[in-house]
Amino acid sequence: MSRVLSCIQPTGPVHLGNHLGALINWVAGQQDGDAYHGIVDLHALTAHEGEGSPGLLGSQTLELAAMLFAVGLDPDVATVFVQSHIHEHSELSWIMECTVSYGELSRMTQFKDKSAKREGEFISAGLFTYPALMAADILLYDADEVPVGDDQRQHVEITRDVAIRFNHRFGETFTVPKAVHPKAGARVMDLQDPTSKMSKSASTDAGIIFMLDDDAVIEKKFKRAVTDNDGEVRYDRQAKPGVSNLLDILSACTGTPIGSLESSYSQYGPLKKDAAEAVISVIGPVRARYGDLMADRGELTRLVRIGNERARTVAASTLARVHSAVGLLPRV
Ligand code: TYM
């Protein structure tokens, strides 16, 4: 059975990009593979920068756990865990930092983009070494497949490079993972700015569909989605980013190939309306389940504890294998 691992940061409300790019695949794949899904709160520290309200990250972590179960991860099947509760992530991360090079980290587009946006502000070393912690997340679980959106492609590539380098230096230790992306929805764009990916860090919420938005809000956001003036429904990411994004979302939600959607629409209005309806039918039921899960924090915590225990067992045995491969003195 292949091992699947993927993670998400508790940095704010989950949006449609997260759902179509990653979560849908996690749910679909949980029966076929041995699935591990982490809520990566330590990664979120690279964005929080320590300021703000203490305790916020903790509550966002629990809310995200509820969302992961609400979208359909079954706690009896998939292992949902909290990264900071499994100390092996931080420990392996250091070894990964010593296996990845400064040059490789410097080439990461995410680091270049984020540090450019924060020019003149505090940029933590953690933002730079982020891919080492992400490699640790993946390699600790001997993951074969990592279902992620397109924006994580480079991070999974560097993980592969690091795993291959480590295995070469110290002998076969890690499984070399591969990224898996959905056919449609791998890169959901902002409805107001379809040349930028849908992201929690956008300056306004108008182009972001949040999982907990109600139906009327979703309809309004789609109605106002930016398109273009030529009036032709055609998939062309470069020339027609807004229309292409709507087609991509509709395809991801309905499973209809983009080619047949292109020929079924001649106007933008009906395309927007159907995209909104398709999104509502996919995420609508999630809201009710999320509410039920959040109403019983004790049960939610119990589910996370079970996931943590399962994750810890795997992580501890991989870390022991790594220590022995490196040749550290066995614990005394
Ligand atoms: P994060 O928390 O930003 O996003 C979680 C998942 O959602 C996908 N995603 C998108 N997919 C399509 N369109 C979008 N607009 C969009 N926005 C987000 C992301 O690709 C991701 O799959 N570095 C990771 C978290 C991480 C991780 C890992 C992932 C840490 N360790 C190990 C996989 C394996 C991140 O920041 O994802």
Side-chain angles (χ1 to χ4, degrees), residues 5-9 15 17-18 21-22 40 43 130 134 137-138 146 148-149 151-152 185-188 197-198:
L5 172 127
S6 198
C7 304
I8 179 168
Q9 296 194 57
H15 56 71
N18 300 127
V40 286
H43 275 103
Y130 184 111
M134 182 156 160
D137 300 337
I138 298 171
V146 186
V148 280
D151 60 340
Q152 298 301 317
R187 194 167 186 82
V188 177
K197 72 168 184 184
M198 191 175 282

mmCIF file of all heavy atoms in Angstrom, residues 5-9 15 17-18 21-22 40 43 130 134 137-138 146 148-149 151-152 185-188 197-198, ligand 1:
data_model
loop_
_atom_site.group_PDB
_atom_site.id
_atom_site.type_symbol
_atom_site.label_atom_id
_atom_site.label_comp_id
_atom_site.label_asym_id
_atom_site.label_seq_id
_atom_site.Cartn_x
_atom_site.Cartn_y
_atom_site.Cartn_z
ATOM 1 N N LEU A 5 1.303 11.485 2.097
ATOM 2 C CA LEU A 5 1.394 12.505 3.136
ATOM 3 C C LEU A 5 1.217 13.881 2.525
ATOM 4 O O LEU A 5 1.737 14.166 1.448
ATOM 5 C CB LEU A 5 2.765 12.488 3.834
ATOM 6 C CG LEU A 5 2.900 13.706 4.780
ATOM 7 C CD1 LEU A 5 3.280 13.331 6.172
ATOM 8 C CD2 LEU A 5 3.782 14.805 4.205
ATOM 9 N N SER A 6 0.451 14.711 3.216
ATOM 10 C CA SER A 6 0.419 16.116 2.831
ATOM 11 C C SER A 6 -0.004 16.945 4.043
ATOM 12 O O SER A 6 -0.585 16.408 4.988
ATOM 13 C CB SER A 6 -0.527 16.346 1.659
ATOM 14 O OG SER A 6 -0.228 17.593 1.071
ATOM 15 N N CYS A 7 0.321 18.219 4.001
ATOM 16 C CA CYS A 7 0.078 19.058 5.186
ATOM 17 C C CYS A 7 -0.491 20.413 4.773
ATOM 18 O O CYS A 7 -0.426 20.807 3.613
ATOM 19 C CB CYS A 7 1.389 19.298 5.929
ATOM 20 S SG CYS A 7 2.251 17.791 6.398
ATOM 21 N N ILE A 8 -1.004 21.115 5.762
ATOM 22 C CA ILE A 8 -1.586 22.445 5.529
ATOM 23 C C ILE A 8 -1.289 23.323 6.733
ATOM 24 O O ILE A 8 -1.269 22.847 7.870
ATOM 25 C CB ILE A 8 -3.114 22.329 5.234
ATOM 26 C CG1 ILE A 8 -3.746 23.698 5.007
ATOM 27 C CG2 ILE A 8 -3.846 21.570 6.333
ATOM 28 C CD1 ILE A 8 -5.164 23.637 4.429
ATOM 29 N N GLN A 9 -1.062 24.609 6.468
ATOM 30 C CA GLN A 9 -0.737 25.533 7.561
ATOM 31 C C GLN A 9 -2.011 26.106 8.188
ATOM 32 O O GLN A 9 -2.934 26.467 7.444
ATOM 33 C CB GLN A 9 0.033 26.724 7.014
ATOM 34 C CG GLN A 9 1.374 26.408 6.432
ATOM 35 C CD GLN A 9 2.186 27.687 6.232
ATOM 36 O OE1 GLN A 9 2.426 28.434 7.177
ATOM 37 N NE2 GLN A 9 2.577 27.951 5.013
ATOM 38 N N HIS A 15 -9.565 28.013 2.137
ATOM 39 C CA HIS A 15 -10.271 28.555 0.980
ATOM 40 C C HIS A 15 -10.397 27.511 -0.131
ATOM 41 O O HIS A 15 -9.844 26.412 -0.049
ATOM 42 C CB HIS A 15 -9.595 29.848 0.489
ATOM 43 C CG HIS A 15 -8.141 29.696 0.164
ATOM 44 N ND1 HIS A 15 -7.691 29.000 -0.928
ATOM 45 C CD2 HIS A 15 -7.027 30.129 0.809
ATOM 46 C CE1 HIS A 15 -6.382 29.039 -0.974
ATOM 47 N NE2 HIS A 15 -5.937 29.707 0.089
ATOM 48 N N GLY A 17 -9.056 27.327 -2.990
ATOM 49 C CA GLY A 17 -7.784 26.891 -3.574
ATOM 50 C C GLY A 17 -7.224 25.707 -2.798
ATOM 51 O O GLY A 17 -6.809 24.694 -3.382
ATOM 52 N N ASN A 18 -7.230 25.810 -1.474
ATOM 53 C CA ASN A 18 -6.759 24.690 -0.647
ATOM 54 C C ASN A 18 -7.585 23.445 -0.932
ATOM 55 O O ASN A 18 -7.064 22.341 -1.044
ATOM 56 C CB ASN A 18 -6.907 24.985 0.862
ATOM 57 C CG ASN A 18 -6.131 26.187 1.346
ATOM 58 O OD1 ASN A 18 -6.686 27.079 1.981
ATOM 59 N ND2 ASN A 18 -4.854 26.238 1.044
ATOM 60 N N GLY A 21 -7.142 22.283 -4.739
ATOM 61 C CA GLY A 21 -5.746 21.941 -5.032
ATOM 62 C C GLY A 21 -5.258 20.763 -4.214
ATOM 63 O O GLY A 21 -4.402 19.996 -4.665
ATOM 64 N N ALA A 22 -5.798 20.609 -3.004
ATOM 65 C CA ALA A 22 -5.241 19.596 -2.114
ATOM 66 C C ALA A 22 -6.297 18.735 -1.419
ATOM 67 O O ALA A 22 -6.339 17.520 -1.604
ATOM 68 C CB ALA A 22 -4.357 20.281 -1.065
ATOM 69 N N VAL A 40 0.430 21.977 10.028
ATOM 70 C CA VAL A 40 1.828 22.363 10.257
ATOM 71 C C VAL A 40 1.917 23.741 10.914
ATOM 72 O O VAL A 40 2.195 24.748 10.281
ATOM 73 C CB VAL A 40 2.662 22.236 8.959
ATOM 74 C CG1 VAL A 40 2.918 20.759 8.652
ATOM 75 C CG2 VAL A 40 1.984 22.870 7.744
ATOM 76 N N HIS A 43 5.335 25.646 10.740
ATOM 77 C CA HIS A 43 5.526 26.412 9.503
ATOM 78 C C HIS A 43 4.825 27.761 9.600
ATOM 79 O O HIS A 43 5.294 28.760 9.064
ATOM 80 C CB HIS A 43 4.956 25.650 8.293
ATOM 81 C CG HIS A 43 5.906 24.665 7.717
ATOM 82 N ND1 HIS A 43 5.826 23.312 7.933
ATOM 83 C CD2 HIS A 43 6.984 24.836 6.924
ATOM 84 C CE1 HIS A 43 6.803 22.702 7.295
ATOM 85 N NE2 HIS A 43 7.527 23.607 6.673
ATOM 86 N N TYR A 130 12.575 27.100 5.662
ATOM 87 C CA TYR A 130 11.254 26.452 5.569
ATOM 88 C C TYR A 130 11.291 25.125 4.790
ATOM 89 O O TYR A 130 10.743 24.108 5.239
ATOM 90 C CB TYR A 130 10.334 27.476 4.892
ATOM 91 C CG TYR A 130 8.889 27.134 4.737
ATOM 92 C CD1 TYR A 130 7.912 27.808 5.465
ATOM 93 C CD2 TYR A 130 8.457 26.164 3.838
ATOM 94 C CE1 TYR A 130 6.568 27.525 5.296
ATOM 95 C CE2 TYR A 130 7.115 25.867 3.670
ATOM 96 C CZ TYR A 130 6.182 26.558 4.410
ATOM 97 O OH TYR A 130 4.863 26.264 4.246
ATOM 98 N N MET A 134 9.907 21.266 5.744
ATOM 99 C CA MET A 134 8.917 20.588 4.898
ATOM 100 C C MET A 134 9.460 19.243 4.410
ATOM 101 O O MET A 134 8.723 18.250 4.364
ATOM 102 C CB MET A 134 8.537 21.491 3.716
ATOM 103 C CG MET A 134 7.495 20.868 2.844
ATOM 104 S SD MET A 134 6.569 22.101 1.918
ATOM 105 C CE MET A 134 5.902 21.068 0.626
ATOM 106 N N ASP A 137 8.955 16.885 7.193
ATOM 107 C CA ASP A 137 7.549 16.454 7.300
ATOM 108 C C ASP A 137 7.281 15.264 6.376
ATOM 109 O O ASP A 137 6.598 14.314 6.750
ATOM 110 C CB ASP A 137 6.586 17.573 6.838
ATOM 111 C CG ASP A 137 6.698 18.853 7.646
ATOM 112 O OD1 ASP A 137 7.162 18.781 8.795
ATOM 113 O OD2 ASP A 137 6.316 19.921 7.112
ATOM 114 N N ILE A 138 7.803 15.377 5.182
ATOM 115 C CA ILE A 138 7.502 14.356 4.167
ATOM 116 C C ILE A 138 8.303 13.084 4.408
ATOM 117 O O ILE A 138 7.766 11.974 4.411
ATOM 118 C CB ILE A 138 7.791 14.920 2.751
ATOM 119 C CG1 ILE A 138 6.881 16.127 2.464
ATOM 120 C CG2 ILE A 138 7.624 13.837 1.685
ATOM 121 C CD1 ILE A 138 7.215 16.897 1.192
ATOM 122 N N VAL A 146 2.767 12.856 -2.510
ATOM 123 C CA VAL A 146 2.449 14.083 -1.780
ATOM 124 C C VAL A 146 1.424 14.870 -2.600
ATOM 125 O O VAL A 146 1.787 15.569 -3.554
ATOM 126 C CB VAL A 146 3.737 14.925 -1.555
ATOM 127 C CG1 VAL A 146 3.447 16.130 -0.677
ATOM 128 C CG2 VAL A 146 4.848 14.078 -0.950
ATOM 129 N N VAL A 148 -0.539 17.812 -3.559
ATOM 130 C CA VAL A 148 -0.458 19.251 -3.274
ATOM 131 C C VAL A 148 -0.899 20.062 -4.486
ATOM 132 O O VAL A 148 -0.954 19.544 -5.601
ATOM 133 C CB VAL A 148 1.002 19.687 -2.938
ATOM 134 C CG1 VAL A 148 1.384 19.362 -1.511
ATOM 135 C CG2 VAL A 148 1.995 19.090 -3.922
ATOM 136 N N GLY A 149 -1.148 21.347 -4.253
ATOM 137 C CA GLY A 149 -1.390 22.280 -5.348
ATOM 138 C C GLY A 149 -0.069 22.581 -6.050
ATOM 139 O O GLY A 149 1.015 22.232 -5.566
ATOM 140 N N ASP A 151 1.593 25.244 -6.390
ATOM 141 C CA ASP A 151 2.561 26.143 -5.748
ATOM 142 C C ASP A 151 3.583 25.400 -4.887
ATOM 143 O O ASP A 151 4.600 25.983 -4.506
ATOM 144 C CB ASP A 151 1.821 27.208 -4.906
ATOM 145 C CG ASP A 151 0.960 26.602 -3.805
ATOM 146 O OD1 ASP A 151 0.608 25.405 -3.891
ATOM 147 O OD2 ASP A 151 0.624 27.322 -2.852
ATOM 148 N N GLN A 152 3.321 24.128 -4.580
ATOM 149 C CA GLN A 152 4.249 23.377 -3.719
ATOM 150 C C GLN A 152 5.204 22.497 -4.529
ATOM 151 O O GLN A 152 6.007 21.756 -3.965
ATOM 152 C CB GLN A 152 3.472 22.508 -2.722
ATOM 153 C CG GLN A 152 2.597 23.300 -1.768
ATOM 154 C CD GLN A 152 3.399 24.294 -0.947
ATOM 155 O OE1 GLN A 152 4.482 23.979 -0.452
ATOM 156 N NE2 GLN A 152 2.896 25.508 -0.819
ATOM 157 N N GLY A 185 -7.883 22.458 -10.947
ATOM 158 C CA GLY A 185 -7.877 23.003 -9.592
ATOM 159 C C GLY A 185 -6.504 23.027 -8.938
ATOM 160 O O GLY A 185 -6.374 23.379 -7.769
ATOM 161 N N ALA A 186 -5.444 22.691 -9.678
ATOM 162 C CA ALA A 186 -4.100 22.687 -9.070
ATOM 163 C C ALA A 186 -3.614 24.101 -8.785
ATOM 164 O O ALA A 186 -2.726 24.312 -7.966
ATOM 165 C CB ALA A 186 -3.113 21.977 -9.990
ATOM 166 N N ARG A 187 -4.204 25.065 -9.501
ATOM 167 C CA ARG A 187 -3.815 26.458 -9.268
ATOM 168 C C ARG A 187 -5.049 27.338 -9.405
ATOM 169 O O ARG A 187 -5.346 27.862 -10.480
ATOM 170 C CB ARG A 187 -2.729 26.859 -10.274
ATOM 171 C CG ARG A 187 -2.041 28.129 -9.909
ATOM 172 C CD ARG A 187 -0.782 28.353 -10.722
ATOM 173 N NE ARG A 187 -0.095 29.526 -10.233
ATOM 174 C CZ ARG A 187 0.709 29.531 -9.169
ATOM 175 N NH1 ARG A 187 0.966 28.424 -8.526
ATOM 176 N NH2 ARG A 187 1.269 30.652 -8.766
ATOM 177 N N VAL A 188 -5.794 27.449 -8.313
ATOM 178 C CA VAL A 188 -7.007 28.273 -8.322
ATOM 179 C C VAL A 188 -6.568 29.723 -8.130
ATOM 180 O O VAL A 188 -5.782 30.029 -7.236
ATOM 181 C CB VAL A 188 -7.962 27.839 -7.186
ATOM 182 C CG1 VAL A 188 -9.190 28.736 -7.138
ATOM 183 C CG2 VAL A 188 -8.371 26.380 -7.371
ATOM 184 N N LYS A 197 -2.537 33.709 -7.488
ATOM 185 C CA LYS A 197 -3.239 32.536 -6.944
ATOM 186 C C LYS A 197 -4.124 32.957 -5.774
ATOM 187 O O LYS A 197 -3.810 33.937 -5.078
ATOM 188 C CB LYS A 197 -2.251 31.439 -6.541
ATOM 189 C CG LYS A 197 -1.454 31.728 -5.320
ATOM 190 C CD LYS A 197 -0.714 30.509 -4.788
ATOM 191 C CE LYS A 197 -0.036 30.925 -3.490
ATOM 192 N NZ LYS A 197 0.785 29.986 -2.848
ATOM 193 N N MET A 198 -5.219 32.234 -5.590
ATOM 194 C CA MET A 198 -6.077 32.478 -4.445
ATOM 195 C C MET A 198 -5.256 32.185 -3.190
ATOM 196 O O MET A 198 -4.677 31.109 -3.067
ATOM 197 C CB MET A 198 -7.304 31.575 -4.512
ATOM 198 C CG MET A 198 -8.370 31.933 -3.508
ATOM 199 S SD MET A 198 -9.875 30.924 -3.702
ATOM 200 C CE MET A 198 -10.673 31.672 -5.111
HETATM 201 P P1 TYM B 1 -0.597 25.782 2.376
HETATM 202 O O1 TYM B 1 -1.001 25.690 3.803
HETATM 203 O O2 TYM B 1 -0.308 27.150 1.832
HETATM 204 O O3 TYM B 1 -1.700 25.141 1.438
HETATM 205 C C1 TYM B 1 -2.250 23.853 1.676
HETATM 206 C C2 TYM B 1 -2.509 23.166 0.341
HETATM 207 O O4 TYM B 1 -3.360 23.968 -0.472
HETATM 208 C C3 TYM B 1 -2.778 24.143 -1.763
HETATM 209 N N1 TYM B 1 -3.151 25.475 -2.280
HETATM 210 C C4 TYM B 1 -3.667 25.677 -3.497
HETATM 211 N N2 TYM B 1 -3.978 24.826 -4.500
HETATM 212 C C5 TYM B 1 -4.532 25.353 -5.622
HETATM 213 N N3 TYM B 1 -4.769 26.676 -5.774
HETATM 214 C C6 TYM B 1 -4.472 27.571 -4.806
HETATM 215 N N4 TYM B 1 -4.742 28.857 -4.963
HETATM 216 C C7 TYM B 1 -3.892 27.071 -3.587
HETATM 217 N N5 TYM B 1 -3.490 27.662 -2.434
HETATM 218 C C8 TYM B 1 -3.037 26.664 -1.649
HETATM 219 C C9 TYM B 1 -1.273 24.059 -1.534
HETATM 220 O O5 TYM B 1 -0.594 23.704 -2.720
HETATM 221 C C10 TYM B 1 -1.203 22.959 -0.473
HETATM 222 O O6 TYM B 1 -1.223 21.685 -1.075
HETATM 223 N N6 TYM B 1 4.226 24.418 2.458
HETATM 224 C C11 TYM B 1 2.845 23.944 2.500
HETATM 225 C C12 TYM B 1 2.512 23.148 3.753
HETATM 226 C C13 TYM B 1 3.390 21.987 4.029
HETATM 227 C C14 TYM B 1 3.371 20.748 3.333
HETATM 228 C C15 TYM B 1 4.326 19.915 4.018
HETATM 229 C C16 TYM B 1 2.662 20.261 2.240
HETATM 230 C C17 TYM B 1 4.291 21.878 5.032
HETATM 231 N N7 TYM B 1 4.852 20.643 5.041
HETATM 232 C C18 TYM B 1 4.545 18.616 3.591
HETATM 233 C C19 TYM B 1 2.881 18.966 1.817
HETATM 234 C C20 TYM B 1 3.830 18.148 2.492
HETATM 235 C C21 TYM B 1 1.917 25.130 2.465
HETATM 236 O O7 TYM B 1 2.274 26.211 2.842
HETATM 237 O O8 TYM B 1 0.642 24.823 2.079
#
